[in-house]
């Protein structure tokens, strides 16, 4: 079955950096665009970054532009999100998944990112 596993989250001070990783299973990973979503309590998941299947085109939300960089390694079926100059408002659970979402591909557990002094 298709699933994604996220890792790399943690507690970091404002201005710090984290690198999130995502591993995919049960999917022809290289055929799909993928992205990172985040969610805070009481809010809907939002897409913060995406990358096309070959990595040629990237999208980064305005709120994280210049700070977050998305990448992927199709051979390893992994995706990454490099997060620099983190801000408290970046605090959320981060998930990876296809972009757009597909009905037969569930959400993983996500990884918690907390930015606090």
């Amino acid at each position: 079955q298709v699933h994604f596993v996220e890792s790399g989250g943690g507690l970091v001070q404002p201005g710090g950096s984290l690198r999130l990783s995502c591993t995919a299973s049960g999917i022809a990973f290289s055929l799909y665009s993928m992205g990172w979503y985040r969610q805070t309590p009481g809010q809907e998941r939002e897409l913060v970054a995406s990358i096309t299947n070959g990595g040629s085109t990237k999208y980064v939300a305005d709120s994280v532009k210049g700070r977050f960089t998305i990448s992927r390694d199709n051979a390893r079926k992994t995706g990454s999100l490099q997060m620099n100059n983190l801000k408290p408002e970046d605090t959320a659970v981060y998930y990876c998944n296809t972009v757009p979402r597909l009905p037969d591909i569930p959400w993983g557990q996500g990884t918690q990112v907390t930015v606090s002094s």
Side-chain angles (χ1 to χ4, degrees):
Q1 294 183 337
V2 179
H3 67 93
F4 293 92
V5 178
E6 302 90 350
S7 62
L11 175 64
V12 64
Q13 296 184 43
S17 298
L18 286 172
R19 186 175 180 87
L20 306 184
S21 295
C22 168
T23 60
S25 300
I27 187 174
F29 184 71
S30 64
L31 299 182
Y32 298 90
S33 296
M34 63 84 62
W36 288 90
Y37 303 77
R38 68 185 182 187
Q39 185 175 31
T40 57
Q43 297 182 331
E44 297 181 349
R45 281 185 175 94
E46 63 172 342
L47 181 68
V48 297
S50 66
I51 184 169
T52 51
N53 64 317
S56 61
T57 302
K58 300 178 181 180
Y59 160 81
V60 182
D62 288 342
S63 60
V64 302
K65 190 171 296 181
R67 301 187 297 117
F68 289 13
T69 302
I70 189 170
S71 61
R72 67 190 296 163
D73 185 339
N74 286 337
R76 294 179 171 83
K77 301 179 71 172
T78 61
S80 296
L81 185 68
Q82 178 67 48
M83 306 185 296
N84 297 326
N85 192 24
L86 283 160
K87 304 177 183 296
E89 51 264 41
D90 295 320
T91 296
V93 179
Y94 285 72
Y95 304 84
C96 62
N97 215 299
T98 59
V99 179
R101 286 269 288 115
L102 300 175
D104 58 337
I105 301 180
W107 295 106
Q109 296 185 41
T111 185
Q112 176 72 51
V113 172
T114 302
V115 185
S116 176
S117 60

